[in-house]
Each structure stands twice: as structure tokens, then as C-alpha cells.
Amino acid sequence: MTGIRRALPPVLLVAAALAFAVAIERSLACPIYIPPQPLRTLYKLSERVVVARVGAKEVLSTNDEVASVRITLHVTENLKGTPAEVLHFYHTEFVGYQAEEARKEEEKEEEKEEVVSLSSGRRITRLKRGERYLFFLDPREKGDGYEVDDEGYAIKRLSDEDLKIYLERIKELAEIMRREPEDKLAVVEWLVRCAEQPATRWEGAYELLGSTEAAARVDDKEVAPAAESPAEASVKPQGEASVKQPAAEEPRALLLSSLPFLGDAQAAPEQQAAAAPPAPDSSVEEVQVLPRRSLANPREMPYDPALAPLLNAVQKQRLSDAFFATPDPVDGDDELMQLVKDFDDPRLPGFILARLHRVEDAAPLEAELWLRTLAASLKNEQLIELADTYTQEAPYFEEEEEETPEAETQTDASAEEGDAADEGEAEAEEAEEVEETPEDPAVEAARIEAATQRATRTRSAMLKTLLSRIDLFVSTGQLAEGRP
């Protein structure tokens, strides 16, 4: 279990829990896990795709601090579906204390999206009246109007420039999808165009990375074909791999992979990047590329292993150039970095090392992946071990240890032999008293913030120590010899 899983900051868990409350009505009817939905998947599976401004909001019902609301959308551009000028969007949102806390967060940082979707791990855009968004809409299961599968993916708040890029990609995608049979070369070129632009980087890089991993599993399967049973071969779709696909190898949002109560099946690619392909495991016999959709959500699309091998040298160079042209990380950079890692571009180690130095004073969650990718690109076993150690030991939440006076640690023998029933009764009364004492949200928030800051300081000290060793190895040329 990695350091991320071992000590995820409770502040992230709190945010995820808040998102769960927002989605409570949908989660009762649907599985918690929402599969990642890049642009091609969203466009394929959404009934309507529109650009619209948010209009009036009507509260339909409330339950504790969660309200069911209907929002009028004034459509400015129809991209898919029957043209319409006005649509009604239904969703849930906070009211009361949680809404006030969200408002305070927005005042602190206007662009901060304070709620994280538990199902996808992505941040949820707060809808503001009069502002314009890109919506990927599904018809409601009951009644008229529309909803979305997951607000972290299906509602996008974009700048004018970014929206222009999205509209170009969507119109290109609509044209590609009209071709029969599917033009895979055109799809690959479209994915490369997405990955080249920071605005749509994740949309293209995520799918290309998924295809790369699926293709690698196909190659592994060809080496050991005996592992496939006739039953598995009978359900293999044409053009798809019949390889079993453990969920832990799928590209996942980093936060989603970190939530301990979702289990190891949600592991992110960041946690698999430096690992060798796993040996066939009988414990995952039932998990296959196509049937896995029924294990999670019907919107989940299998990765196409035929796409990534179609990348030509020019396209690989374009992907590398796009990555190195973006010094500050953007959404999708981690996925693109994992693609570029396999292109053997000599610029990669220095680029990652410089990025790590820029964040060493406040080491982010992503530093684990960057370190492992750096070590893997340098092909140095000792650095790989050091990166793995950082992954295992880097803390993300440190409770302050309470000092216990020495006198209190000494146990009186006579007390140990006291009446057990009296002790049990005292413990029960104490537990009851604790349950009746409400927790001050401000005090709890301060405790979480302090614990997170302590962990950041510890983590940054670890990162600086590791980077100093790497700098020494690079400057002395020991890395070239592979023996730091």
C-alpha cells in the first residue's frame, strides 16, 4: 500500500464526502464508481451536447443540507441533439452550512472549485447564474429535463479561448464519427490534437495512455496464450483484446485511487507506472476488458489497444514537444508524461527534475509519480528504489503527538486488578458523553489544516534530500554508469 493510500489528507476525504452528499439521490440508484469519461466517450454517450448560460434556479425539495433543484439553461450553441433554445437541468447541491462554507471558499480563491466528486475524484464546477458552461446531458430517468452522469466530467467551465478549442475538437469528432467503418488513423490524429493543447490535454492523453496499456496487455497475452479460456474467447468482441484487465491497471484519477474505502481495485496508473507487467493472477479471472463495464457503469468504454500502436514518429514528436512546452502542470500532464516516457526523449529527465525542484518547498501529491517516472527514464535501479521509498513513506497527514507525563504511564498493579464491570460501565458512560458533544467545525478544520501542513513540511524535507542525491548523481556522471 503506497504512502498516498496510507495517509491521504482527511481534508480530501472531507471534500469527497461532501460530494457524496451532493450526489446522494443518484448514488442510491447507481454504483458509487463513475468511470473516467474523456471527450470522445462523453460525446458518444451523451444525448445532448450544448453550450448554455445558467438561468433561474428552482428548489424542488430539501433533505438536511442537500437540495434537489431545477435550473433553466439558455442554449447558445447546439453541438449534438435536436436544437433547442431552453433546457431544464436537474441536480443536487448544498444548502445551509455547507453552502455557506462553499461560498467562503470561493471568496478566498475565486477559481477554486471546492467540492470533489467522490465517484470520479474530479472537482465539481459550481454553477453560477449568467455564466456559460459546456454541458454533456442525459435525459432524466424519470420525468422531463436532463441530468449528467458525473458533474466532474460532464459540466465544463471554460475560458473563451479554451471553449473555442473544445468546439473545434467536438466538430472534428462529429465528422470522424460519421465515417463507417471507424477511421482509427483519424481517431489517433484527433487524440494527438487534443493532447497537444493544454485545454484538452487530458481528453487526448488519457485515452492514448489507456490504449497503450491495453496494447501492452495484448502483447503479454500473446506471449502466454494458454491463459485464455474458451469462455473468454467467446465473449471477445471483434477488434478487442480478450485479455483480462485488472482494474488496478486502468488509468484513474489520482484522488479516486487514494480513497481507502474504495479498495485497491481503483489504483491509478501513477501507482503502476514503474512496475513491471503483473503475472497472470487467477484472482482476476472474471475481470475482462468488455465485461468490466457491468461491474461499474454502462458508460465505461473499453480502451482500444489498436489506437496507440498507430502513433507515427511525427505524432510522437508532437506529443513530446507539447509536453515540454508546458512548464507548469496542467490537467492531463501526468498521462502525457507517461506516454512520452516510452518515447526515449533525452529531454525528459532534466524536465522532470526541474519541475520537482520548483515544487520542493511544498511537495504535491503528484511528486510521487514524477519521481518514479524520472527514475524509470534514467533506468537507474538505485533511484527507482529511492523513489519507491518516497512513495511508501511520504506522509500527507500528521497528527500532533500528545506528550503523556511519565507518572501517567506507570500502571498501578492494584488498579489493573480493579473491578472489570466498573471499568466497562465507565467506558460506556464516557463514550455516550463523547457522542453527545458536537464537534466544532472550525476547530476540526484548523486541526486538519495543521496536520496537513506538518505532513507537507516532512514530505518536502524528504523530497529535498532525495533531489540533492539525484543532483549529485547527475553532476558526477554516476547515473550514466548506473551505479549511484
Side-chain angles (χ1 to χ4, degrees), residues 32-232:
I32 289 178
Y33 165 62
I34 297 293
Q37 296 174 29
L39 182 55
R40 196 163 72 109
T41 298
L42 278 174
Y43 186 84
K44 280 184 176 182
L45 301 181
S46 299
E47 181 171 296
R48 283 185 178 274
V49 181
V50 300
V51 179
R53 293 192 179 277
V54 172
K57 177 175 68 177
E58 178 185 0
V59 177
L60 304 177
S61 63
T62 58
N63 181 11
D64 294 330
E65 293 198 354
V66 177
S68 176
V69 302
R70 177 174 62 199
I71 297 176
T72 300
L73 302 181
H74 299 279
V75 179
T76 60
E77 187 155 3
N78 287 280
L79 301 170
K80 183 180 179 182
T82 305
E85 295 182 358
V86 176
L87 299 171
H88 289 103
F89 172 61
Y90 292 76
H91 80 145
T92 54
E93 61 184 41
F94 288 129
V95 294
Y97 170 78
Q98 300 293 0
E100 179 63 17
E101 289 300 299
R103 184 189 64 77
K104 291 179 181 178
E105 288 295 330
E106 286 187 342
E107 289 179 353
K108 292 178 184 176
E109 187 178 347
E110 184 176 353
E111 296 300 319
K112 183 173 183 179
E113 298 165 329
E114 75 294 335
V115 180
V116 177
S117 168
L118 176 65
S119 53
S120 66
R122 295 177 70 87
R123 298 182 181 234
I124 295 175
T125 299
R126 286 178 56 83
L127 299 179
K128 297 181 180 179
R129 185 166 183 173
E131 292 197 2
R132 179 204 58 208
Y133 303 84
L134 176 60
F135 292 88
F136 295 82
L137 300 170
D138 301 318
R140 294 176 68 208
E141 294 180 1
K142 296 180 180 179
D144 61 349
Y146 295 86
E147 58 190 3
V148 297
D149 190 57
D150 183 83
E151 295 189 20
Y153 292 108
I155 302 177
K156 302 183 186 296
R157 181 183 180 184
L158 304 167
S159 66
D160 291 344
E161 182 179 352
D162 288 352
L163 178 61
K164 180 180 178 181
I165 294 171
Y166 262 92
L167 294 181
E168 289 175 356
R169 298 291 88 82
I170 289 173
K171 290 173 182 177
E172 292 168 357
L173 180 59
E175 174 60 31
I176 293 173
M177 289 181 60
R178 282 193 284 267
R179 304 175 190 174
E180 292 292 344
E182 181 181 58
D183 187 343
K184 292 187 182 294
L185 288 174
V187 171
V188 170
E189 171 60 25
W190 182 83
L191 291 172
V192 171
R193 289 184 188 176
C194 285
E196 282 183 300
Q197 295 287 341
T200 53
R201 176 154 299 167
W202 182 83
E203 314 287 4
Y206 175 85
E207 194 168 350
L208 285 172
L209 178 60
S211 175
T212 299
E213 294 178 346
R217 289 190 292 270
V218 169
D219 292 341
D220 291 342
K221 198 63 179 179
E222 289 176 351
V223 173
E228 177 176 299
S229 68
E232 291 165 348

